[in-house]
Amino acid sequence: MPPPEPPEPPEPPRRVARLPVRARTGRLLVLATVFVCAACGLVYELELVALASYLIGDSVTQASVVLSVMVFAMGVGSLLAKRLRCRAAVGFCLVEAVLALIGGCSAMVLYASFAWFGGARYALVAFSLAIGVLIGAEMPLLMTLIQRVSRQDAGGTVADLFAADYVGALVGGLAFPFLLLPRLGQLTGALLTGAVNAAVGGALVLWLFRRDLSVRSRWLLLAVSLAVVSVLAVTVVFVDDFERAARRAVYGAQVRVAVQTGVQEVVLTGTPGRGPVDLYLDGRLRVSGRDEQRYHEALVHPAMAGRHARVLILGGGDGLAAREVLTYPDVLSVTVVELDPFVVRLARTDPALSALNGHAFRDHRLRTVTGDAFHWLRGAARGSYDVVISDLPDPGITASTKLYSEEFYGLASRVLTDGGRIVVHAGPPAGRPRTYWTVEATLRAAGLYTRPYRVTGRVSGFTGGPDRDPSPDGSAAPRDWGFVLAARTPPRLDLGAGTRRPRLLTAAALRAGAADVERLRVTGLPPSTLVHPRYTG
C-alpha cells in the first residue's frame, strides 16, 4: 500500500477587522463601494472611447484599442495588487485616489493633447494602461477587505463581489450616455466621476477600517483623499475656461456657437460679414465658407441633369445642397433628412449660415425630416424621387459606415423613379483611394451603373483646423472631393439646366475630373455591407 499522503497545512487564520458596525452592515458597505467603483471605472472607459472617437475618428478602432489595452492592464494590476494585500485598506485608498485623479483628468489631458499638440493617440494608450492597471488592482484588495469583515467561503465572497461589480458597471454604462454626457459634458462628467470615486474609496477605509490604521496612516490617507477631491473640484470650476481656450486652439479665435447636442458637438466659427463661416461637426470640418460652393455645385448639378421634379437630400442639414437644388424652377419638392435637428435650426436662424444657404429653408418647396437616413429610407415609398443626393460624413468615419453600405444603396435605389439618379459624396480619391473606390464598388454591387468624378481646388486664407491639410507655407489648402453618380441605367455626366448656372463648375471641368479620377482607380475591391464594413478612418 502507498503511504498515506501528509495532511495539508492548516490555512493561516484570517485577520478580522475591528469594525464600528456589525459585520453584516460592514459587508454591505464594502459591496456598495464595489458598486460605485465599478460604475466610475466604466465611466472612465466609456469617456476614453467617446473622446478618442471624437478626436481621432474610426470609433471601432479606437474602442478596440481602449478595451484591449485596458483588459490587458487590468490583469497586470491584479498581479501587482498581490503585494498590497498585507496592507489592503491603505493600498485600496491610495489606488482609488490615484485612479480618481487620473481617470477624472483623462478627458482634459486628451483634449489638451489634441488641441495644442495635434494628436491624442499616445495619450489615449497611456491613460488606457494606467486606468486599467488601477481598476485591476481594486478587486484583489476588495476581496481581502471583505474577508476581513466577515468569514464566508471564497466562492460566496467572489459571487457577491462580482454581482456588485457587474450591477455597478451597468449603472455607469447607462449613466454616461443618458446623464453625464448630455447634462455635464465629457470634461465635467469625468471630473465629477473622479471626485465621487475618491470620496467613496476614502470614506470606506477611513471610517469602516479606521481602527486597523495607525494614526499616521489615517492622516496620510485623509490628506491624499482631500487633496484629490480638492484638485478635481477646483478643476471643475475652471473647466469652462479651459474648454474655451482649447476650442480657440483648435478652431481659431472666432468661435460663435459651440453646442453638444444629443447627436454630436456642433461648432460654428466666423463673424458675419467679416469672414468665411466654418461649421464643424464632432471636430470635423463639414462646411467651409471659403470653398463650400465648389463642393456643393459638384455634388448637386450633375445629378440634376434629367428629370428632377422631386429631390431627396440625405444629410445636408446646413441647407447648402438645398440651395443649389432650389435654383431649378421646375423642382416641385425637396425633402431633407437630417439626423440632428439643431443643425437645421442653426441653418435657419444663424444670420451668417442662413445667408450662406440663401435662406433655403424659407422656400415653400422644402420640407425637413429629423431622423436617421437608413431607417427613414426603409419606410419611404418606392419610386418617390427623381434625384437622391447623399450629402453625408466621409465613409471613413465608422458611425456613418452603414450609410455607405450595399444595403443602404439598395434602399436608396428603391425610392428612385425610372430614370432617377443618385449622387454620393465618397471622400477624396487621391487621399483615400481605397475608400473612394469601395464606395463605387458598393454602388455597383447594389445594381447601379456608376460615373465617378472629382473636383479639386485650393483654398486661400487657410487658418488650420481638423480635417484640413495646409500647404507648407500655410497660405492655402488643396482640396480634393470625390463623387459618384449612379443610376439603374448608365448615367450621363453633364450639368443640369438651372436658372443660375454653376459659377465655378463647368461641363469641361466635370468631364476632365471624370477622366482624371479614372487614373486613380483601384480595382478588385469588394463592396461594403452591414456585416462586412470595408471602410477605415
Side-chain angles (χ1 to χ4, degrees), residues 12 88 90 118-119 135 149 260 278 313 432 472 477-478 536:
V90 174
I135 291 176
V149 170
Q260 179 69 53
D278 290 342
I313 301 175
R432 293 197 290 271
T536 58

Side-chain angles (χ1 to χ4, degrees), residues 48-72:
L48 289 179
V49 171
L51 200 57
S53 300
Y54 162 53
L55 299 178
I56 303 173
D58 191 2
S59 58
V60 170
T61 300
Q62 307 316 320
S64 299
V65 169
V66 171
L67 295 178
S68 58
V69 170
M70 287 191 73
V71 170
F72 164 76

